[in-house]
């Protein structure tokens, strides 16, 4: 079957209408093209390093996001339980904990997490789990606020009270009717935002630690992420070489072959952030999430 | 009156509670820190007047330990402590951070307090700039996407010559892509590209980098744009449109770039004035979240570019040297800055909100 991508619509028209799907397609396609390009032009050790760094960054992003939802959900459960049982002390403690988590900048939490990792279990597989745990704890607040926001929205609309009066359990109302049936796009959007924030923070903290604490640790003991790759002197030189393009535009093709390690690590990181932003915005527009 | 409101009161309760907690932690840690760290090996070295970095002195000390404690675990522990102490001294010298763990005395606390105050000043300045720029850029985008004139202009552009149109579009796409890449780039990439480092970063470049990189400006502008969008579809706007209130963005010259970028945004009788006011009020309350992201961005600028006069450089130094008391003290100062920003934001929001409540 022939699909006319330009005139009669089909997949193209669908993608033009749904900006989130369009950007998800662009992101996956660009990453595939970059993979093929790097496999041809990047030397084997650098290619392996780029693959490992990208996979580690994305996997940590996905696990941390999933864990953040778990922790955020747990905070919501504790809050609702305490509210229903009139446990004002438990509620105050929860508020203080959440407030404290919010009041220290996320990057500081992560730096403390890295330092703890370096001095305690940098050579064990636990280092990945530890980083995911710290990142999840840092972002659990956002998930908590999102879920509470959705629950409060439905509480105001009367729908919630009506279901409670009909004898349906509160757990079922929240999990099924509020979250699963009426808030899935909001939660997906939040997951995209948390994922992008995790990738950004993880790479930044890894960069800072790799440069700032390099005397205290061997870089090979840390999980390799894109931040770690960018902290390498060869990546720095690759990105510095990009300046050459301003003076001599003919250098551009060489940039994508001779300076590929730094350029592809930088591109992967920044393009992931741009794509996440575009996908999130597209989803908000398509599903009309802002009211 | 506003200071007595629940939101502000809760901030002060949190502030008091965590200040007490931080103070207790500092008291507890600073008491034990210096005494415990390498204390045994230090006392042995001092008693025998030996230099830990002299090979002959080291051999003498290690022999003495082995002879005195024989092959007991105590001997192994002391030998391990000696090597850890030697490595610590070596690292400290390489880092030029002084040969010993800094204790949190009055002069250090005062110096850190000064650095925290300077950071708070930068934070406030960058916060204001970010607030102003994010609102302005969001309004510009809102005008381009929603206003009648913008739509007509787009239609007219489409009818222009095809080749010119495609060339223009290609140029726009390249410019937009470059803009996105700069706005979303972590600061260390921009630092590499434009050769920024601790030697050439000035006050001006620090402010510019903190606002325009790390995705801070684009995400905050997007937040305000979403608020404008959500306001623009509310009932009062629809009613106003039906009743013939001005919604054309250029007809009476009210929505000009000068007005959009003015610090005091006012668009006359145009409906955008109301939309802006409502969105602005909500943005004030949401700015707490943005301010936290802004702090994270500023920390990344300071640490990634290795700006050595900053409070977070001190934090990194404290973490390197395992100076727990100093690290906790800095954490407490950062907590104060964040809390102060929360209180100011909530105060401004409640003050603005009170106008409408009355």
């Amino acid at each position: 079957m022939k699909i006319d991508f330009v005139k009669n619509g089909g997949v193209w028209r669908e993608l033009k209408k749904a900006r989130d799907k369009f950007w998800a397609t662009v992101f996956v396609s660009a990453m595939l093209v970059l993979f093929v390009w790097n496999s041809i032009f990047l030397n084997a050790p650098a290619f392996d390093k780029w693959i490992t760094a990208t996979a580690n960054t994305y996997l940590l992003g996905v696990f941390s996001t999933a864990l953040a939802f778990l922790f955020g959900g747990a905070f919501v459960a504790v809050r609702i339980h305490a509210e229903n049982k009139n446990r004002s002390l438990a509620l105050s403690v929860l508020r203080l904990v959440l407030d404290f988590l919010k009041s220290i900048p996320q990057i500081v939490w992560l730096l403390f997490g890295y330092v703890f990792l370096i001095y305690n279990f940098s050579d064990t597989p636990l280092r990945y789990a530890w980083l995911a745990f710290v990142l999840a704890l840092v972002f659990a607040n956002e998930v908590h606020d999102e879920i509470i926001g959705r629950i409060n929205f439905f509480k105001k609309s009367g729908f919630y009270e009506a279901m409670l009066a009909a004898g349906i359990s509160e757990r079922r109302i929240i999990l099924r009717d509020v979250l699963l049936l009426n808030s899935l796009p909001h939660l997906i959007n939040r997951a995209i935002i948390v994922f992008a924030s995790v990738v950004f923070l993880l790479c930044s903290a890894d960069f800072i630690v790799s440069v700032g604490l390099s005397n205290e640790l061997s870089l090979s003991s840390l999980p390799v992420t894109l931040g770690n790759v960018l902290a390498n002197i060869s990546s720095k030189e690759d990105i510095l070489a990009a300046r050459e393009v301003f003076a001599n535009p003919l250098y551009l093709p060489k940039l994508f072959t001779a300076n590929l390690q730094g350029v592809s690590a930088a591109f992967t990181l920044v393009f992931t952030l741009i794509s996440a932003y575009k996908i999130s915005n597209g989803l908000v527009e398509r599903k009309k999430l802002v009211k | 009156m506003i200071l007595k409101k629940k939101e502000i009161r809760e901030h002060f309760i949190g502030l008091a509670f965590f200040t007490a907690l931080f103070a207790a932690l500092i008291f507890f840690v600073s008491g034990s820190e210096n005494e415990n760290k390498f204390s045994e090996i230090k006392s042995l070295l001092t008693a025998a007047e030996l230099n830990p970095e002299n090979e002959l002195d080291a051999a003498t000390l290690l022999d003495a330990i082995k002879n005195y404690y024989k092959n007991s675990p105590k001997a192994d522990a002391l030998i391990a402590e000696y090597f850890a102490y030697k490595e610590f001294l070596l690292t400290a010298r390489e880092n030029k951070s002084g040969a010993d763990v800094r204790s949190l005395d009055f002069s250090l606390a005062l110096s850190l307090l000064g650095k925290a105050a300077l950071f708070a000043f930068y934070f406030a300045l960058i916060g204001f700039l970010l607030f102003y720029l994010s609102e302005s850029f969001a309004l510009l985008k809102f005008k381009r996407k929603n206003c009648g004139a913008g739509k007509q202009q787009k239609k007219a552009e489409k009818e222009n010559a095809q080749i010119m149109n495609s060339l223009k579009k290609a140029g726009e796409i390249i410019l937009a892509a470059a803009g996105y890449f700069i706005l979303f780039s972590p600061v260390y990439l921009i630092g590499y590209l434009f050769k920024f480092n601790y030697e050439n970063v000035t006050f001006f470049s620090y402010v510019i980098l903190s606002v325009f990189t790390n995705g801070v400006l684009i995400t905050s502008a997007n937040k305000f744009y979403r608020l404008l969008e959500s306001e623009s579809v509310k009932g009062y706007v629809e009613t106003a449109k039906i009743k013939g209130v001005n919604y054309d963005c250029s007809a009476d010259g009210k929505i000009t770039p000068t007005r959009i970028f003015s610090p005091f945004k006012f668009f006359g009788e145009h409906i955008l004035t109301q939309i802006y006011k409502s969105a602005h009020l909500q943005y004030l309350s949401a700015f707490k979240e943005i301010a936290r992201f802004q702090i994270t961005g500023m920390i990344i600028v300071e640490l990634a570019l290795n700006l050595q006069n900053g409070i977070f450089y001190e934090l990194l130094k404290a973490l390197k040297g395992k100076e727990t008391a100093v690290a906790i003290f800095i954490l407490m100062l950062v907590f104060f800055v964040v809390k102060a920003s929360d209180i100011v934001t909530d105060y401004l929001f409640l003050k603005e909100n009170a106008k409408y409540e009355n």
Side-chain angles (χ1 to χ4, degrees), chain A residues 95-97 99-100 102-109 111-112 115 119 142 145 190 197 199-205 207-209 211-216 226-227 230-233 235-237 239-243 246 262 265-267 269-271 273-274 277-278 280-282 284-285 290-291, chain B residues 6 10-11 13-15 17-18 21-22 87 91 94-95 141 145 177 180-182 184-189 192-195 214-215 218-219 222 225-227 229-230 233-234 289 292-293 295-297 299-300 303-306 312 315-316 319-322 327-328 331-332 334-335 338-339 342:
Chain A
R95 275 202 194 123
L96 274 175
V97 169
D99 189 40
F100 185 61
K102 265 187 196 175
S103 299
I104 303 291
Q106 294 160 330
I107 190 90
V108 174
W109 282 124
L111 283 176
F112 271 85
V115 170
Y119 291 125
E142 290 189 16
D145 291 351
R190 180 55 55 191
S197 309
V199 167
F200 172 73
L201 266 195
L202 180 68
C203 292
S204 300
F207 180 90
I208 290 165
V209 167
V211 174
L213 295 178
S214 53
N215 286 336
E216 278 66 27
L226 290 167
L230 286 167
N232 280 352
I233 191 75
S235 297
K236 186 179 178 178
E237 282 165 3
I239 293 164
L240 266 173
R243 286 167 61 91
F246 298 120
F267 177 82
L269 173 57
V270 180
F271 194 65
L273 300 177
I274 295 175
Y277 169 81
K278 289 285 188 184
S280 163
N281 267 353
V284 169
E285 273 164 24
V290 178
K291 289 201 176 69
Chain B
K6 192 185 156 205
E10 274 182 1
H11 284 312
I13 293 170
L15 201 59
F17 178 79
F18 285 111
L21 191 71
F22 276 126
E87 196 187 330
T91 312
E94 279 174 3
N95 295 342
K141 185 179 173 186
K145 285 215 167 182
Y180 271 118
F181 266 86
I182 288 175
F184 274 105
S185 275
V187 70
Y188 38 89
L189 293 182
Y192 279 169
L193 197 59
F194 297 103
K195 283 191 171 172
N214 293 323
I218 194 160
T219 44
N222 191 52
Y225 173 73
R226 291 275 157 238
L227 291 173
E229 285 266 278
S230 72
V233 293
K234 282 193 174 160
E289 305 303 321
R292 289 193 180 110
F293 189 41
I295 283 203
T296 291
I299 297 171
I300 295 170
L303 293 181
L305 300 183
N306 216 4
F312 292 100
L315 177 67
L316 201 64
L319 291 176
K320 266 179 175 181
K322 294 187 185 177
I328 295 172
L331 210 60
M332 184 173 80
V334 175
F335 176 76
V338 176
K339 269 284 155 216
D342 281 1

Side-chain angles (χ1 to χ4, degrees), chain A residues 101-133:
Chain A
L101 282 174
K102 265 187 196 175
S103 299
I104 303 291
Q106 294 160 330
I107 190 90
V108 174
W109 282 124
L110 198 54
L111 283 176
F112 271 85
Y114 258 106
V115 170
F116 190 81
L117 180 149
I118 289 160
Y119 291 125
N120 291 286
F121 38 70
S122 62
D123 284 328
T124 68
L126 267 177
R127 57 199 175 155
Y128 293 95
W130 171 251
L131 279 183
F133 172 80

Side-chain angles (χ1 to χ4, degrees), chain B residues 233-272:
Chain B
V233 293
K234 282 193 174 160
Y236 74 92
V237 177
E238 296 298 326
T239 313
K241 274 194 220 171
I242 290 165
K243 287 191 171 179
V245 170
N246 188 5
Y247 197 66
D248 186 339
C249 292
S250 64
D252 58 357
K254 297 284 184 203
I255 322 291
T256 56
T258 323
R259 285 189 176 220
I260 285 176
F261 280 94
S262 154
F264 307 101
K265 297 174 183 13
F266 183 69
F267 309 102
E269 296 298 308
H270 196 282
I271 188 71
L272 190 57

